Amino acid sequence: QSALTQPRSVSGSPGQTVTISCTGTSNDVGGHNFVSWYQQQPGKAPKLVIYDVNQRPSGVPSRFSASKSGNTASLTISGLQAEDEAEYSCCSFAGRSTLIFGGGTKLTVL
Amino acid sequence: EVQLVESGGGLVKPGGSLRLSCTASGFIFNTYSITWLRQVPGRGLECVSTIGLSGQSVYYGDSFKGRFTISRDNVRKSLFLQMTSLRVEDTAVYFCARDAVGASRGVWDYWGQGILVTVSS
């Protein structure tokens, strides 16, 4: 399976809303409701921010939301804060116990 | 506090072997599947292998079948990854992560800090 496609970078000013896309195929993103998103600060381990397309784990701020349409999943961060600057990666079930990731998107808070 | 701590990384020559360990604390180890993931510097994450609760059920990514072996010791609350026939392209930071919900849904709620494996002559 090929990796999921994410933009290499996005940016926004504090308070703005940014959306990061994650495009796959009908075999992965489009075919299953098991898409998760991870936030990773430099030199740190990834942190789960969204699972099962749009579920937010306990402790993740409500300004993090996500959705899916067809073969594309999206992570939206509203009310952008400086601490949101990080790399964001999507992950999708792709059948037969296989999970694939996107290449990651670097979010810069201007 | 849930903690996962990897060890055993380092420098190894191409074709060589290395055994990674992941020691868990702060939760009932034998009630969670655990996954090894890796991240090549500057590139995306990749699932290496997952092991079920008792160790009977294992999964390997295509790139790792036949070369890597995952195992666990529920008494010692430890996870292992035996890596053989290592290639330069296996150079990466390796993470162990707790599978929060199982069933290959990609939901890892706790991660270790990561351990660097460098394959170079």
Side-chain angles (χ1 to χ4, degrees), chain A residues 40-107:
Chain A
Q40 189 174 20
Q41 307 284 355
K44 301 287 189 181
K47 173 190 173 185
L48 179 69
V49 294
I50 293 287
Y51 67 97
D52 291 357
V53 176
N54 57 13
Q55 300 301 300
R56 203 172 49 249
S58 172
V60 173
S62 59
R63 53 203 181 74
F64 286 83
S65 63
S67 62
K68 187 186 82 167
S69 178
N71 296 336
T72 298
S74 300
L75 173 70
T76 298
I77 308 171
S78 57
L80 204 58
Q81 299 184 5
E83 68 206 48
D84 299 332
E85 184 162 296
E87 178 144 311
Y88 292 84
S89 298
C90 60
C91 173
S92 175
F93 178 67
R96 296 172 61 187
S97 298
T98 300
L99 289 154
I100 56 174
F101 284 88
T105 298
K106 179 169 172 50
L107 169 61

Side-chain angles (χ1 to χ4, degrees), chain B residues 17-20 36 67-71 80-84:
Chain B
S17 298
L18 206 59
R19 188 191 196 213
L20 302 182
W36 284 103
R67 298 194 302 130
F68 291 9
T69 303
I70 192 171
S71 61
F80 306 102
L81 185 68
Q82 180 69 46
M83 304 186 292
T84 63

Side-chain angles (χ1 to χ4, degrees), chain B residues 68-111:
Chain B
F68 291 9
T69 303
I70 192 171
S71 61
R72 66 190 293 164
D73 182 335
N74 285 341
V75 173
R76 296 181 183 175
K77 300 183 182 180
S78 294
L79 174 77
F80 306 102
L81 185 68
Q82 180 69 46
M83 304 186 292
T84 63
S85 302
L86 282 163
R87 307 164 180 165
V88 171
E89 54 265 35
D90 291 320
T91 295
V93 175
Y94 287 74
F95 297 95
C96 58
R98 188 179 84 167
D99 192 330
V101 298
S104 298
R105 283 157 61 182
V107 186
W108 299 285
D109 58 351
Y110 287 93
W111 295 62

